[in-house]
Amino acid sequence: MAQLATHAAARCYDFTMRHYIARPPTPALANVIEYVWASEGAPAHAQERVVPTGTLELFISVGDTDGQTSDLLGGRRFSGAGVAGAYRRSFTFETRENASVVGVHFKPGQAGVVLGVPPGDLMDRHLDLEDLWGRRALELRDRLCSATTTSERFAILEAELVSRLDGRRVHPVVRYALNVLARPDARVGDIAKVTGLTQRRLIELFTATVGITPKRFGRVLRFHRATALARNSALDWTRVAHQSGYYDHAHLIRDFRELGEMTPTDLLRASVHVKESHQLAIV
């Protein structure tokens, strides 16, 4: 996972009518959060599809609307503040319902130390932050809405998250698995052998901590690796498939259809917003 290098290195993007900014967290949160971000203004398009990243996101609406959004599994609507679990497939959200939002992108396996719930319980779903934090979530949103600058909102949000750090550490087996799965040739069975766990126990531990199974997490990383290679080099799908860890071109196509709900060629032709940590929003 690529991490922004310094606290001062904020990055700004202008997506048509939307202004997006992301920067690294304060040092106290550096082990837990990849970056904090803010988005202002509704883009011209009505919907975006977000492909899976294997990570969790906390988001809070600070605009005039209730920040309503929809759960991928069942169409439930909620408002104000929420947490997006690790999704196994892409999902779509209404951009105009989220015109002004601040949030944090957690590092893999780290969200549980702040949220107070195992990330595995949030797989493929959004959850109201109030369901996790009670009235404190409503008070946090009120303070964020009253703030007048993005920097002030970041400071308020980060202070809340720091107060919720519980001192827990990610299990060393999970840390090892995350490092190994970043390699194209990673195999879950090999990780289990090295760690001395059964595959079943490894899967249980990893899923509870990260939010999806190690096999699915590896597939998500492979998908993004292939997407990045295809966008940054002369297009040769056989070479992209090989370097990304796929058996062949057909294997790559199957993953793109399942994870991104598009063929590789269609995905590259689409209008795509690439955020930090390879989070893709497809118009």
Side-chain angles (χ1 to χ4, degrees):
M1 298 289 175
Q3 183 178 2
L4 298 178
T6 65
H7 184 268
R11 300 189 182 186
C12 299
Y13 306 85
D14 188 357
F15 299 145
T16 310
M17 296 170 60
R18 175 187 295 179
H19 180 72
Y20 176 87
I21 183 171
R23 70 154 172 78
T26 58
L29 294 168
N31 292 330
V32 178
I33 292 172
E34 198 80 48
Y35 56 91
V36 293
W37 58 269
S39 178
E40 291 280 349
H45 50 273
Q47 291 184 328
E48 286 181 357
R49 186 189 315 141
V50 179
V51 300
T53 62
T55 53
L56 284 77
E57 199 99 12
L58 183 152
F59 54 92
I60 301 174
S61 171
V62 293
D64 295 331
T65 69
D66 288 333
Q68 290 189 338
T69 187
S70 300
D71 192 328
L72 179 66
L73 304 179
R76 176 194 175 206
R77 301 186 71 79
F78 61 97
S79 62
V83 177
Y87 275 76
R88 291 175 292 178
R89 295 178 176 83
S90 63
F91 67 91
T92 300
F93 72 95
E94 302 290 334
T95 58
R96 292 188 178 91
E97 294 178 350
N98 298 272
S100 185
V101 185
V102 295
V104 300
H105 188 88
F106 291 101
K107 290 186 174 182
Q110 295 289 347
V113 304
V114 170
L115 297 179
V117 62
D121 291 351
L122 301 177
M123 183 189 300
D124 287 337
R125 58 190 292 231
H126 283 60
L127 187 70
D128 267 311
L129 191 60
E130 187 180 0
D131 292 342
L132 298 178
W133 293 356
R135 184 170 181 78
R136 189 74 174 266
L138 302 178
E139 295 171 349
L140 172 61
R141 182 169 183 253
D142 286 343
R143 284 186 284 134
L144 290 170
C145 288
S146 297
T148 57
T149 67
T150 298
S151 295
E152 185 181 355
R153 286 170 175 160
F154 282 167
I156 292 170
L157 181 56
E158 288 176 309
E160 178 67 27
L161 298 181
V162 169
S163 73
R164 292 183 171 277
L165 293 174
D166 63 8
R168 283 182 296 165
R169 302 291 182 183
V170 174
H171 195 288
V173 167
V174 175
R175 290 203 306 269
Y176 172 77
L178 286 168
N179 288 331
V180 173
L181 289 168
R183 303 200 299 256
D185 60 347
R187 297 292 182 269
V188 175
D190 294 339
I191 296 173
K193 289 179 182 178
V194 170
T195 60
L197 298 182
T198 64
Q199 284 201 48
R200 180 177 179 178
R201 177 55 184 152
L202 172 63
I203 292 169
E204 290 175 347
L205 181 61
F206 189 97
T207 303
T209 306
V210 177
I212 53 177
T213 67
K215 181 177 181 179
R216 177 67 62 157
F217 186 81
R219 288 180 65 189
V220 168
L221 294 187
R222 188 170 57 202
F223 166 81
H224 286 285
R225 191 181 300 118
T227 301
L229 282 172
R231 287 187 175 279
N232 295 303
S233 62
L235 194 58
D236 178 344
W237 285 115
T238 299
R239 182 179 62 81
V240 168
H242 176 73
Q243 292 185 356
S244 301
Y246 290 100
Y247 297 122
D248 52 29
H249 189 193
H251 185 201
L252 180 148
I253 291 174
R254 288 195 298 272
D255 256 19
F256 270 63
R257 285 188 180 278
E258 181 174 350
L259 299 178
E261 298 184 0
M262 303 178 79
T263 67
T265 301
D266 287 342
L267 179 61
L268 294 184
R269 287 174 179 169
S271 176
V272 177
H273 303 158
V274 183
K275 301 179 183 178
E276 305 301 332
S277 294
H278 48 238
Q279 181 179 356
L280 275 62
I282 306 168
V283 178

